[in-house]
Amino acid sequence: MILDALRSAWRHRFGSALGAIGIALAVALTVTVASLHSSLLGSIDRFSDQLAQGADVEVLGNVDGGVTEELAREVLGMEGVGVVVPMLTSQVIVDGERTILVGVDERVLALKGVFSSELLVRVVSNLEDGRLLFGPAFDAEMATVHEFYTAASGHQEISSAGVIEVAEARSFNGGRFVVTNLEAGRRLLHLPDRADSLFVVGDGSRSAHALASTVKEKLGGRAAVAQTGIRVDQVSAVADPIRLAILLAGSASFAIAGVLIFDAVAIGVERRRRELAVLRTIGATSRQLMLSFMLESSLVAIFGAVLGASAGLIMARITVSQLPPFLVSAFGVEIGFLPAWWSIPLTSLLGLVIAVTSAGIAARRITIISPAEAVRSADVSSLSEKQKSRLFLGGAGVLSLVLAALFALFEEEWTGVIAVMLVIIGIAGIASGVSSWFVAGATALAVRLPRIWLVTEAALRSSHRRTAVCATVIGVALTLVVMTDGLARNQVETMRATLEPLTKLPLLVDTSSGDEAPANVLFPDSWTTELDELAGVTVTGSGQFTFVIHKNDRVLFQGVSGPTSLAPVYALADTSVRDRIFDENAVIISTQFADRFHVREGSSFVLRTPSGPHTVEVVDIVPSASWPNGLVATSLERAQSWYARPGVSFIELAFDGTVPEDAAVAAVKEFTGQTGFPVYVVSGALQVDRTAAATVQATAALRAIELVVLIVMALVVLNAQVSMIWQRRREFALLRAIGGRPGYAAMTVLVEVAAVTLGAALLGAIGGVWAHRLASSIAESLSGFPVFYKWEFAGLFLIIPLTVVVACAGAAFPAYWVAKIRGVDAFSEE
Amino acid sequence: MKSVDDAASIGKFPAAVAVNMAAVLIDVNKTFRRGRDEVNALRNVSLQIHSRSFVAITGPSGAGKTTLLQVLGGIERPDSGKVCVGGKDIGELSEAERTVFRRRNLGFVFQFFNLLPTLTAWENVAVPLTLDGARRSVARTRAKEMLDLMGLAKRAEHHPRELSGGEMQRTAIARALISEPALILADEPTGNLDSETGRSVLRLLRQVVDDRGGTVVMVTHSLEAADVADRSIRFVDGVPLPA
């Protein structure tokens, strides 16, 4: 039976291929997203696990600067605490690349991580200053001198005391780390008494959750406290919305795969009608025949799932290696490829269920095949299709749009999602409902075509069902593509808008290349004076970025040196109030921060800092696309003192005209080059361009959705046209027999597709423009970044012709096929 | 007996002779492959079909009758031999040239009518004209005139599903005649009709020869249909036998 089904699938390989492609696309998309998500979270989780397996609670500093030994002692004195393990896990620069410096002492033996080895502790305890154990990513010859930098310590030279070669070490941050003992690490960093994390092991008297609550309560906000895995939670907050958005696209792909299989089986039933009638005559039951179709489809689905899972894993592997730098740099952990193996059986099973269900529904037509058809001759009149009224669908579509408008009024996230869904459903309904108008329009166009007008007219008159299918799919596809294109363009423009003040900056000395999150690395404060003394340049401002923990969320903190700074958030704020940040405990916050933590202009909130809690007043709220959880800006002086972080992340320079600009830039580059820091010296405009380019990269997910939507649209057009040609093959054969050129029939296919696509595309574009408007606020919630809505006309100019071209590409094979039909077929009965 | 002769009786067919014929076949062979078997549909067939004649091709199934029609119509190329229609060696024409040749010089009538179900009767009749670039108004006038001749003036706006079998076949004949072809090729034109309707269709084809000066080559199983023809040629295993 399976062999028969395989043979049948092969015999109808075109339909089988369509169904398999549909399932493969859906499985591939879902496996990619799941694997990407598991790689992100898994890498962070593995990082935490390798550091501190066995710990019940992790205490992190409210800033990336960490916590003190005094705090460690305080935690150790708390009820339920057995051991407190302080560790350094600082980002440093070794040989120009970000590396993790791990500092441990014998207390680490209370844990079960990579560094909880007696031998390792013994070795690092006896290391001389300046000699470290290197991770396996380094080709560390003992004699080689390595360059080491941090903001506090500046440039130092270190050398290798050996390379850790154990297998687990390779998976810890990709093997890119150096290890020393806690005290030596502190001296190296010039941060006495510091640790990045305290890992707490309970005495067994209470659960990890209860222990975390106790420690959190006692510390009263002086540090972030959570059960281990706090980093994973933070990543989840950023990654989950992306996953949600793409999983929605995956679900849509499964639905479309179901439609493709339904169509393939429906065509199969139609093609084999006579054969099925014969089988019915000789005693086969409808159920047996339906089961054969369902078995065939399940084999096709299995094939598609295998194909899709393989493609998904490859796509995920590529995507992980191409992750946007801002995401990777923000968490300071190397993201490895960790496939979500569970997603393969799950999505395959889902694909199988959808395939079998779709096939079962389509194969129900078998029940209406009468055994009498086996002895009846072909009847041309049976091929004629009566136009059915679809106005009720159009009415339902209009109703959906009205409801969408009502839901949009509420301006809530969930009502926005419903509104967008209703717009899509509405466009689908209207496109299907008015598809007969597209036929009329296309017919009006067709009668003007020389030679093929009547043939095209004939094709169009038989096209109501397939026109409705094509119009619906094309309309919905356009709605989605116009919406996502608008969102993608808006995101890039938003990023440009929020960084706009920087474009006026002649020269910027930055720790970040523009496509990364602001780095933890800081330049020494002395640089501002030294750069100011260089011929041809004047320092106009400087500032510091750091990630701080606010209510367990990772928030970006900005310190600004003075009123002449063009630092984006500060420079975008209201000029009448922004300078208050230099005089009092005041901050400027981003809209993200305001929404996430429910803070309003004029209100106050408490910032927990290593120097204690500080109540700050919000003087202005500025739209900023800097970080999903939001940004807080205050004066550089406060940022440095509150968080005990000397140094600056960026220095703003202007040319004073005393020397040519090229010479001034060369002088700045020479100065920074000598320091050995990874420094980016660029114009403000170039920095903005780089950030915009990184944003374009980040919108790749939206572009991927557009691509999938367009491919599926082309497949549906292909399927509909193939179905049409199969039904009308005798007509085309007749045309060839009586002297119609092959191109005439092919042209009818293309004219029909072009006309219907154009009509549906215009309708879809209208829906897309509306959906784009509605989706802007949802995208803001999903991506975490603000999206300034702007009507994007340029995209429409590109998308509508592109859609027509893609749809015609989908019709290219049917057009080719129809041109190959021979006149001989007009003589045969079948 | 006046219109069909054995080719051998006139030797090797000088071109001048062929011109006077509606169609001439010389040593035509056509073989098909069915699975692993080869089927000789036509074996060394030589025929001449005089202008203004009605020729019936009879024979059992698989004798090569329909293949002969397809070769005459330029739909199938012979493996060897010559096929001249209206004085033109269609074997020398390209695929595109044969397509245009069929459109302007040949008319086809099929057993299953092969009407386009979405077109009305007059539109079906007009299809060959439109393929040749005729304007809608011209095509409609000519098609309706033709339907009038077939006695179908009142059915011009009806779709095939609204016509009887006889009306559908008469519409198909009107379509075959609208380009005023020299040769009509009919494949079992009465095979799907009741005997009375079949007879009326045969009368119509007869009129094409007698009144309009056309030439009809008709493939049929029916002896009654063959009786209407001027000459019958019986095909057996791809070889024509004198009746």
Side-chain angles (χ1 to χ4, degrees):
Chain A
M1 201 168 176
I2 290 176
L3 203 62
D4 285 344
L6 276 173
R7 222 176 268 145
S8 177
W10 176 248
R11 203 165 65 234
H12 308 108
R13 48 192 171 274
F14 182 73
S16 305
L18 270 182
I21 288 171
I23 295 287
L25 267 177
V27 170
L29 199 62
T30 318
V31 169
T32 304
V33 175
S35 294
L36 180 59
H37 194 256
S38 83
S39 296
L40 269 174
L41 262 60
S43 297
I44 307 277
D45 191 29
R46 194 168 62 181
F47 179 85
S48 295
D49 236 25
Q50 285 168 326
L51 262 184
Q53 197 178 8
D56 297 313
V57 174
E58 182 175 358
V59 179
L60 284 167
N62 279 324
V63 63
D64 285 351
V67 293
T68 60
E69 190 71 45
E70 187 188 337
L71 196 82
R73 284 193 290 275
E74 189 182 333
V75 173
L76 186 61
M78 291 176 188
E79 282 177 36
V81 174
V83 184
V84 173
V85 182
M87 273 173 98
L88 286 175
T89 52
S90 299
Q91 272 199 57
V92 297
I93 306 295
V94 175
D95 297 340
E97 286 194 45
R98 286 200 173 99
T99 305
I100 292 178
L101 168 70
V102 179
V104 292
D105 62 15
E106 69 283 350
R107 284 173 284 186
V108 79
L109 296 174
L111 304 176
K112 298 169 193 155
V114 173
F115 305 103
S116 308
S117 139
E118 277 187 39
L119 178 63
L120 184 134
V121 170
R122 208 163 46 239
V123 171
V124 297
S125 301
N126 297 315
L127 285 175
E128 305 162 25
D129 275 6
R131 288 182 78 82
L132 293 88
L133 284 180
F134 277 53
F138 288 90
D139 180 18
E141 290 293 326
M142 296 286 194
T144 310
V145 173
H146 297 269
E147 309 290 332
F148 178 97
Y149 304 94
T150 70
S153 65
H155 170 241
Q156 296 179 65
E157 289 181 349
I158 56 169
S159 59
S160 167
V163 175
I164 301 173
E165 283 288 9
V166 292
E168 298 82 20
R170 288 204 174 272
S171 53
F172 179 74
N173 199 43
R176 187 148 198 98
F177 61 89
V178 288
V179 191
T180 185
N181 67 69
L182 194 57
E183 282 310 315
R186 285 167 172 167
R187 283 194 294 276
L188 198 58
L189 292 170
H190 288 209
L191 292 171
D193 204 33
R194 275 304 177 86
D196 291 294
S197 295
L198 302 177
F199 295 101
V200 180
V201 183
D203 60 9
S205 63
R206 59 195 70 196
S207 68
H209 180 72
L211 185 63
S213 301
T214 307
V215 175
K216 193 172 182 176
E217 188 188 336
K218 299 267 184 193
L219 288 178
R222 283 175 292 149
V225 180
Q227 285 172 258
T228 49
I230 185 169
R231 292 178 179 85
V232 178
D233 295 340
Q234 289 169 355
V235 176
S236 290
V238 178
D240 278 356
I242 302 169
R243 183 188 59 157
L244 178 69
I246 304 180
L247 280 181
L248 280 175
S251 311
S253 301
F254 271 115
I256 291 166
V259 172
L260 286 175
I261 286 183
F262 176 90
D263 265 16
V265 172
I267 293 169
V269 170
E270 204 56 47
R271 285 173 69 169
R272 293 158 65 184
R273 204 178 170 101
R274 177 63 67 95
E275 174 191 329
L276 292 167
V278 171
L279 289 169
R280 294 273 286 122
T281 309
I282 61 174
T285 64
S286 301
R287 192 165 165 274
Q288 284 173 317
L289 298 176
M290 279 173 67
L291 278 175
S292 71
F293 273 97
M294 288 159 80
L295 180 62
E296 188 180 321
S297 295
S298 62
L299 293 175
V300 165
I302 290 168
F303 176 73
V306 170
L307 202 69
S310 314
L313 290 174
I314 293 168
M315 274 157 57
R317 181 81 186 81
I318 294 169
T319 312
V320 165
S321 66
Q322 303 282 322
L323 275 178
F326 81 88
L327 198 61
V328 180
S329 59
F331 292 97
V333 173
E334 189 142 311
I335 308 297
F337 176 53
L338 300 172
W341 297 113
W342 58 266
S343 66
I344 295 174
L346 190 73
T347 52
S348 301
L349 189 67
L350 188 60
L352 192 65
V353 169
I354 285 170
V356 171
T357 310
S358 307
I361 295 169
R364 277 193 318 167
R365 291 174 182 214
I366 291 169
T367 57
I368 61 166
I369 295 177
S370 158
E373 289 185 35
V375 290
R376 197 183 296 155
S377 60
D379 176 9
V380 286
S381 62
S382 69
L383 296 175
S384 178
E385 188 187 347
K386 285 182 186 171
Q387 182 181 349
K388 289 177 188 164
S389 170
R390 294 179 184 272
L391 280 181
F392 75 96
L393 281 174
V398 172
L399 185 66
S400 289
L401 293 186
V402 172
L403 285 172
L406 289 175
F407 272 98
L409 289 177
F410 290 99
E411 292 185 345
E412 292 287 333
E413 186 181 327
W414 67 272
T415 54
V417 171
I418 292 175
V420 171
M421 296 303 285
L422 284 170
V423 169
I424 293 169
I425 292 168
I427 291 298
I430 293 173
S432 179
V434 302
S435 58
S436 58
W437 298 354
F438 297 149
V439 174
T443 308
L445 180 72
V447 296
R448 283 168 178 76
L449 296 168
R451 295 176 187 274
I452 62 164
W453 60 267
L454 198 49
V455 185
T456 311
E457 225 180 311
L460 287 165
R461 285 183 200 168
S462 72
S463 70
H464 295 286
R465 184 166 168 268
R466 71 172 182 278
T467 307
V469 170
C470 288
T472 306
V473 172
I474 292 166
V476 169
L478 250 288
T479 303
L480 287 171
V481 171
V482 169
M483 180 182 81
T484 50
D485 176 74
L487 288 174
R489 285 169 186 269
N490 282 175
Q491 280 197 354
V492 176
E493 287 308 310
T494 300
M495 187 56 89
R496 282 194 175 279
T498 58
L499 297 179
E500 193 274 333
L502 271 187
T503 58
K504 298 172 199 145
L505 184 66
L507 201 59
L508 179 69
V509 176
D510 206 329
T511 53
S512 151
S513 64
D515 60 355
E516 303 167 324
N520 257 328
V521 179
L522 295 171
F523 304 135
D525 286 312
S526 59
W527 279 25
T528 50
T529 320
E530 291 170 72
L531 282 167
D532 200 42
E533 285 169 359
L534 293 177
V537 292
T538 308
V539 173
T540 55
S542 63
Q544 185 190 97
F545 281 112
T546 185
F547 285 105
V548 303
I549 308 294
H550 183 69
K551 297 184 176 175
N552 266 357
D553 272 329
R554 205 168 159 83
V555 170
L556 194 57
F557 199 87
Q558 184 189 42
V560 182
S561 64
T564 53
S565 172
L566 289 172
V569 171
Y570 166 75
L572 282 171
D574 186 344
T575 48
S576 64
V577 294
R578 69 184 188 189
D579 289 348
R580 284 177 59 195
I581 65 168
F582 301 114
D583 307 323
E584 50 194 283
N585 275 5
V587 291
I588 300 163
I589 60 171
S590 71
T591 41
Q592 264 55 48
F593 187 90
D595 291 342
R596 193 170 191 91
F597 301 104
H598 309 291
V599 184
R600 297 286 167 260
E601 196 176 320
S603 67
S604 298
F605 65 94
V606 176
L607 275 175
R608 307 283 177 190
T609 75
S611 62
H614 296 278
T615 302
V616 292
E617 186 189 344
V618 177
V619 293
D620 199 8
I621 298 175
V622 177
S624 167
S626 303
W627 182 245
N629 293 343
L631 182 147
V632 178
T634 189
S635 70
L636 178 62
E637 192 185 337
R638 283 185 180 75
Q640 289 181 333
S641 61
W642 287 355
Y643 291 100
R645 279 169 61 84
V648 291
S649 309
F650 59 91
I651 300 168
E652 301 161 62
L653 300 168
F655 300 114
D656 61 14
T658 54
V659 297
E661 288 182 7
D662 287 351
V665 172
V668 171
K669 285 188 174 170
E670 189 187 346
F671 169 80
T672 56
Q674 286 168 352
T675 65
F677 270 82
V679 183
Y680 299 91
V681 181
V682 289
S683 69
L686 184 58
Q687 188 78 337
V688 173
D689 285 345
R690 284 179 175 176
T691 310
T695 314
V696 169
Q697 193 188 344
T699 58
L702 289 174
R703 298 299 185 193
I705 291 172
E706 286 171 24
L707 189 68
V708 169
V709 165
L710 288 176
I711 289 173
V712 167
M713 183 190 78
L715 285 177
V716 169
V717 169
L718 176 89
N719 203 25
Q721 294 302 319
V722 166
S723 156
M724 178 273 287
I725 292 167
W726 182 257
Q727 285 184 328
R728 301 183 59 229
R729 64 199 180 284
R730 279 176 66 85
E731 291 179 45
F732 289 119
L734 166 82
L735 289 173
R736 289 287 291 124
I738 65 174
R741 288 184 188 279
Y744 293 173
M747 194 59 81
T748 64
V749 173
L750 294 175
V751 166
E752 176 189 317
V753 171
V756 172
T757 307
L758 198 60
L762 289 172
L763 189 65
I766 294 168
V769 168
W770 193 11
H772 171 204
R773 179 73 193 88
L774 292 174
S776 291
S777 55
I778 304 165
E780 204 166 312
S781 317
L782 282 176
S783 70
F785 288 104
V787 180
F788 306 157
Y789 170 75
K790 190 179 150 208
W791 153 252
E792 288 292 349
F793 194 62
L796 287 182
F797 262 125
L798 189 68
I799 291 166
I800 293 177
L802 178 71
T803 308
V804 176
V805 169
V806 170
C808 287
F813 172 73
Y816 173 76
W817 183 31
V818 81
K820 291 284 173 195
I821 292 179
R822 301 166 66 221
V824 179
D825 296 338
F827 290 85
S828 59
E829 187 180 351
E830 284 298 317
Chain B
M1 304 301 169
K2 61 184 178 184
S3 59
V4 181
D5 294 319
D6 189 314
S9 67
I10 55 167
K12 287 295 176 189
F13 282 2
V17 175
V19 168
N20 294 323
M21 301 293 168
V24 176
L25 285 83
I26 307 168
D27 292 336
V28 171
N29 283 285
K30 181 71 187 176
T31 304
F32 291 109
R33 182 169 285 281
R34 277 197 192 128
R36 291 179 182 176
D37 300 330
E38 279 197 347
V39 178
N40 295 315
L42 299 175
R43 298 184 201 202
N44 296 319
V45 175
S46 294
L47 285 176
Q48 50 181 326
I49 297 165
H50 285 261
S51 298
R52 299 180 172 219
S53 66
F54 192 149
V55 179
I57 310 289
T58 62
S61 293
K65 308 184 296 290
T66 300
T67 306
L68 175 76
L69 224 52
Q70 290 166 351
V71 167
L72 272 173
I75 292 169
E76 286 283 8
R77 270 181 195 276
D79 297 334
S80 63
K82 275 183 179 283
V83 180
C84 296
V85 177
K88 193 135 198 154
D89 184 351
I90 60 173
E92 289 178 355
L93 301 179
S94 67
E95 174 66 35
E97 286 169 336
R98 276 187 289 136
T99 299
V100 175
F101 183 82
R102 275 202 302 276
R103 191 193 303 159
R104 294 179 182 164
N105 300 285
L106 300 176
F108 286 91
V109 180
F110 303 91
Q111 179 181 359
F112 296 107
F113 325 134
N114 280 346
L115 297 179
L116 276 62
T118 47
L119 297 183
T120 60
W122 79 259
E123 286 170 334
N124 266 290
V125 175
V127 167
L129 291 183
T130 65
L131 293 177
D132 225 13
R135 295 171 62 86
R136 192 180 185 88
S137 56
V138 174
R140 182 169 49 206
T141 307
R142 291 272 293 109
K144 286 192 172 178
E145 283 171 6
M146 195 54 72
L147 281 171
D148 196 17
L149 282 173
M150 299 291 139
L152 290 171
K154 289 183 178 171
R155 312 295 273 165
E157 301 293 343
H158 289 249
H159 284 85
R161 63 175 175 272
E162 298 160 335
L163 303 178
S164 68
E167 286 172 331
M168 280 198 270
Q169 195 58 301
R170 279 190 281 157
T171 305
I173 292 170
R175 181 181 62 195
L177 294 177
I178 197 160
S179 301
E180 298 181 348
L183 183 60
I184 309 286
L185 301 171
D187 184 25
E188 301 265 15
T190 59
N192 213 28
L193 300 173
D194 62 69
S195 53
E196 185 51 43
T197 311
R199 272 194 289 275
S200 74
V201 166
L202 289 172
R203 275 198 297 275
L204 211 52
L205 289 173
R206 184 71 249 179
Q207 283 170 13
V208 169
V209 178
D210 296 341
D211 302 344
R212 299 174 67 87
T215 306
V216 174
V217 177
M218 176 179 71
V219 165
T220 184
H221 275 104
S222 159
L223 292 175
E224 188 185 352
D227 282 347
V228 179
D230 300 317
R231 166 91 192 234
S232 286
I233 302 172
R234 182 172 165 75
F235 264 67
V236 175
D237 294 334
V239 179
L241 304 173

